[in-house]
Amino acid sequence: MAVDKRRVERLTRELLEAIGEDPDRPGLRQTPARMAELYSEYFSGVHEDPAAPLAHTISVSRGPAPETLPSGAVLLRGIRFRSVCEHHLLPFAGHAHIAYLPGEQVVGLGALVKVVEILAARPQVQERLGEQIADTIAEHLDARGVLVVMDATHGCVTMRGGRQPEASTLTIAARGAYADPVARTELITLIGAGPGPSAWSQE
């Protein structure tokens, strides 16, 4: 199933009328169509399987030490993402940082990015988004441990209510070996270290 663009257009017109606007005035005439395209993009992940990108793995047993499992984590920092908060349908955006401790299989790094993109392209809350990413990797990849750190700014915090433009939200989801706070200490330090986007910066 895909986003019903015609219905979004119709409902956008109704929304504009509900706030007292004229959807036929020049500035708003194309807004329903634009909203339909926007929602089609923002919510494309609703009907996608986030585990699909993890289907193609690579065996590390073909390397120079076939009897040895990787001793350290694979860490991908600074994955930019954007999503829409399900409470107010306002955007939130930031960086996701993913680490996993491989078993006998590893996956292309682009697959991890795709998992984030699919799960973010749904009405979301950041707390659940990080947990869903961690669960998808833990359940569909041969990983002995998974850590997902997310840092994002939320429109519902920066543009309404308290209006705190500098505030960001940090969440951590951990599975397997990294459920132990001591075991993930090194990774948390590496995520926060430069150069490059860190969990502590939206630059």
Side-chain angles (χ1 to χ4, degrees):
M1 294 179 64
V3 172
D4 188 338
K5 293 183 182 180
R6 289 187 178 182
R7 190 174 183 187
V8 173
E9 287 191 44
R10 185 170 68 252
L11 292 173
T12 301
R13 281 187 60 87
E14 186 176 339
L15 175 62
L16 290 170
E17 291 170 350
I19 65 172
E21 263 290 1
D22 175 11
D24 291 316
R25 71 175 175 84
L28 293 174
R29 194 172 296 150
Q30 299 301 318
T31 297
R34 293 188 184 110
M35 287 297 293
E37 289 298 327
L38 177 69
Y39 272 36
S40 181
E41 178 184 341
Y42 266 37
F43 301 122
S44 62
V46 171
H47 301 292
E48 283 193 70
D49 178 7
L54 303 177
H56 302 289
T57 59
I58 304 166
S59 174
V60 294
S61 64
R62 298 176 182 174
E67 303 303 321
T68 304
L69 293 177
S71 59
V74 175
L75 173 58
L76 182 59
R77 299 191 313 161
I79 303 169
R80 287 191 176 273
F81 77 93
R82 56 107 177 97
S83 189
V84 176
C85 174
E86 66 184 31
H87 296 153
H88 300 98
L89 294 183
L90 287 173
F92 67 96
H95 293 104
H97 312 271
I98 298 175
Y100 74 97
L101 184 59
E104 295 183 358
Q105 301 289 324
V106 294
V107 72
L109 298 178
L112 300 178
V113 175
K114 188 63 177 174
V115 170
V116 174
E117 291 175 341
I118 291 173
L119 289 168
R122 303 174 176 185
Q124 276 288 10
V125 292
Q126 182 177 332
E127 298 89 337
R128 183 177 65 222
L129 177 56
E131 298 291 340
Q132 289 178 338
I133 294 168
D135 283 339
T136 300
I137 296 170
E139 293 171 10
H140 298 278
L141 192 62
D142 178 26
R144 292 172 285 159
V146 179
L147 178 66
V148 178
V149 178
M150 307 195 78
D151 188 18
T153 56
H154 291 249
C156 56
V157 175
T158 62
M159 296 187 291
R160 67 174 301 277
R163 297 184 184 179
Q164 297 293 316
E166 303 301 321
S168 69
T169 300
L170 186 70
T171 56
I172 297 174
R175 302 290 184 271
Y178 297 132
D180 179 2
V182 175
R184 62 179 182 249
T185 300
E186 179 185 16
L187 292 175
I188 296 292
T189 301
L190 290 172
I191 288 170
S198 76
W200 332 124
S201 172
Q202 295 301 306
E203 297 298 318

